[in-house]
Amino acid sequence: MRVDVPVASGQGWVGESLRRLFARPRLVVALFAVPAVVLAAGIVSWLIDWRLGVDSAVYRSGAVALLTGEPLYDNMFLSAEPPWARLPFTYPPTSTLLFVPLALFPTQVSWGILGALSVLALALVVRVTIQNVPTRPAWLRPAQTTIVVTVLALGLEPVWRTLFLGQINLILMGLVVVDVLVLGRSRHFGGVLVGVAAAVKLTPLVFVPHLWFTGRRMDAVRAVVTFALLQLVIFAIIPHDFRTFLTVTDPERTGPTFWAGNQGLNGLVQRLTDLSPWSNEIAFAIGAVLAIPAFVIARRFHRAGQPLQALLVTAFFGLLFSPVSWSHHWVWVVPLLVYLLSRLPDRLPRGWARAKALSGAGAVVLVFASCVLLIMRTSDPNRPAGEKPELEWTPPEVVLGSAYLLVPLVAGVLVLARNRRG
């Protein structure tokens, strides 16, 4: 028997869910077990000097630079970065404000803290997603499913790579999901978390038009105001870095964007055109064309009382449109999988019908858990000027090496075809 789920646009269910959770100590232990292990791994890594958390080391170094007055973008790496994590700081200067707490701890310990918070953010995203599916099978119980899916999601390449690198993708996704799906009717706070997320990485700005086109125009305004206020604050603190960041327009600063790890349209076009000087413009034009059906579909989903599906459309469009969408940015596959699981029947049929029922979730798991990008012929990240095997891929390699970005494109075609039949 399927369970009808009311659209959770308010916040009342959150307190009730937490009350039920903490009334069951075993679930609490299970929920916090993985974050505790990650935090302990960070402490052990610090004690034995294990190289762990390349990106979180950059985050921490940016915070240290803010506190010490070191320029963020004048050099190719910051002085607080360990020798094994010498990477340029590529994030907006406003991000350093939120990274300041990491400066209080050693590099590996800060990785452990960020990783523990990321796992908790992942669990939060799963729980909020379950609350926002239109219907679900009876076996998809919120508390147990949240824990099980969170643990199993660690096997998805975008998730485990995010944790291993010390990336912040899961936390940013958590901010956006809570803003869009929980604070939907808040008169004071809707849009604020989207603005904060965009101040850390610019890509969440795609959710500002999402708020606008889905009728949450005051939330869209609050998101922009929050983002702008943070810019004013950081300009008052480090005006030189603020001005320098505005002049840094080269996406290659994050690494060659033709690499297989860039699963956005820009990376695909660069690989297909052999680094044509017009590849960026071509990718932008394709993305601009796709923006029209993307926001139209998102608006239709929202008006039909399906805010989760609307959010997923915008999230995956943002991944396609972004000039750089590294494989670990694709953590949005987790709420997508929860949604696909919610569409399964209470009892799976047999034979071909079972294969058809499982095809959607199975295909997504196959793509993102197979680590297909790790087996492709790829460039050596330690030798950016070396050979470029991605430019010599055969047609089958192009398909396999573009597996991530093909998921939303195929899903979009299926949605449009279904709407056309309807």
Side-chain angles (χ1 to χ4, degrees):
M1 180 180 67
R2 296 187 64 80
V3 178
D4 292 327
V5 182
V7 176
S9 55
Q11 303 97 48
W13 68 269
V14 177
E16 179 63 19
S17 178
L18 291 174
R19 186 190 66 79
R20 292 181 179 180
L21 171 65
F22 285 98
R24 307 167 73 176
R26 291 184 179 179
L27 289 180
V28 175
V29 172
L31 176 62
F32 287 94
V34 175
V37 170
V38 174
L39 179 58
I43 297 174
V44 172
S45 300
W46 168 55
L47 294 174
I48 65 176
D49 196 24
W50 188 27
R51 301 178 178 182
L52 195 59
V54 172
D55 289 328
S56 58
V58 177
Y59 299 157
R60 178 185 176 276
S61 300
V64 173
L66 174 66
L67 297 174
T68 60
E70 179 184 0
L72 292 172
Y73 309 106
D74 290 4
N75 301 306
M76 288 306 294
F77 60 87
L78 300 172
S79 59
E81 294 179 21
W84 45 268
R86 294 288 174 88
L87 296 174
F89 191 85
T90 60
Y91 307 94
T94 45
S95 65
T96 58
L97 292 171
L98 302 180
F99 294 150
V100 164
L102 298 180
L104 303 176
F105 304 93
T107 299
Q108 292 91 334
V109 176
S110 65
W111 170 86
I113 294 172
L114 192 63
L117 293 175
S118 295
V119 175
L120 291 175
L122 175 62
L124 177 63
V125 168
V126 173
R127 181 63 186 88
V128 174
T129 302
I130 294 173
Q131 190 67 25
N132 281 270
V133 295
T135 62
R136 62 173 181 256
W139 50 262
L140 200 67
R141 299 181 181 90
Q144 292 89 338
T145 302
T146 296
I147 295 172
V148 171
V149 171
T150 299
V151 173
L152 294 180
L154 299 177
L156 301 174
E157 190 266 349
V159 175
W160 66 252
R161 191 182 287 272
T162 287
L163 294 176
F164 181 77
L165 294 175
Q167 269 285 341
I168 202 169
N169 306 308
L170 292 168
I171 294 176
L172 296 183
M173 179 173 65
L175 292 175
V176 172
V177 166
V178 170
D179 196 326
V180 176
L181 300 181
V182 179
L183 302 180
R185 292 184 178 178
S186 172
R187 295 182 178 181
H188 306 290
F189 301 107
V192 171
L193 296 183
V194 167
V196 172
V200 179
K201 281 189 177 182
L202 297 180
T203 48
L205 284 174
V206 72
F207 298 103
V208 174
H210 173 89
L211 294 173
W212 184 271
F213 286 116
T214 55
R216 295 173 55 183
R217 297 191 172 181
M218 283 306 302
D219 290 354
V221 171
R222 271 192 290 267
V224 174
V225 170
T226 301
F227 178 80
L229 287 177
L230 289 173
Q231 307 308 311
L232 290 176
V233 169
I234 202 65
F235 176 75
I237 299 173
I238 45 174
H240 168 75
D241 289 314
F242 184 87
R243 296 191 190 96
T244 303
F245 179 75
L246 296 179
T247 63
V248 178
T249 59
D250 183 12
E252 298 291 326
R253 183 178 171 87
T254 64
T257 52
F258 67 86
W259 281 353
N262 184 10
Q263 288 291 294
L265 287 172
N266 187 40
L268 174 63
V269 172
Q270 288 200 35
R271 292 190 287 270
L272 292 178
T273 62
D274 197 18
L275 299 179
S276 165
W278 302 283
S279 57
N280 291 336
E281 289 76 9
I282 295 173
F284 179 84
I286 296 174
V289 172
L290 290 179
I292 299 174
F295 285 112
V296 168
I297 294 173
R299 188 174 183 178
R300 287 181 179 176
F301 273 135
H302 184 83
R303 288 185 170 181
Q306 299 173 324
L308 171 62
Q309 293 92 312
L311 176 61
L312 290 175
V313 171
T314 301
F316 282 102
F317 165 74
L319 288 169
L320 291 174
F321 188 68
S322 174
V324 181
S325 287
W326 299 123
S327 63
H328 53 77
H329 293 171
W330 288 73
V331 291
W332 284 93
V333 67
V334 176
L336 172 62
L337 279 173
V338 174
Y339 169 70
L340 293 175
L341 289 175
S342 74
R343 294 173 58 85
L344 295 177
D346 282 320
R347 293 185 178 181
L348 289 175
R350 296 184 177 182
W352 171 249
R354 171 176 291 189
K356 183 178 179 180
L358 293 172
S359 60
V364 173
V365 171
L366 179 63
V367 169
F368 290 94
S370 64
C371 301
V372 61
L373 298 180
L374 300 182
I375 65 175
M376 304 300 300
R377 292 189 296 147
T378 58
S379 303
D380 184 353
N382 297 317
R383 297 179 57 199
E387 298 179 356
K388 303 177 177 62
E390 291 94 338
L391 306 182
E392 302 173 356
W393 279 354
T394 63
E397 286 178 310
V398 170
V399 174
L400 288 176
S402 308
Y404 287 16
L405 64 92
L406 289 177
V407 168
L409 291 178
V410 172
V413 170
L414 293 176
V415 170
L416 290 173
R418 185 183 65 183
N419 289 343
R420 185 178 180 84
R421 289 197 301 268

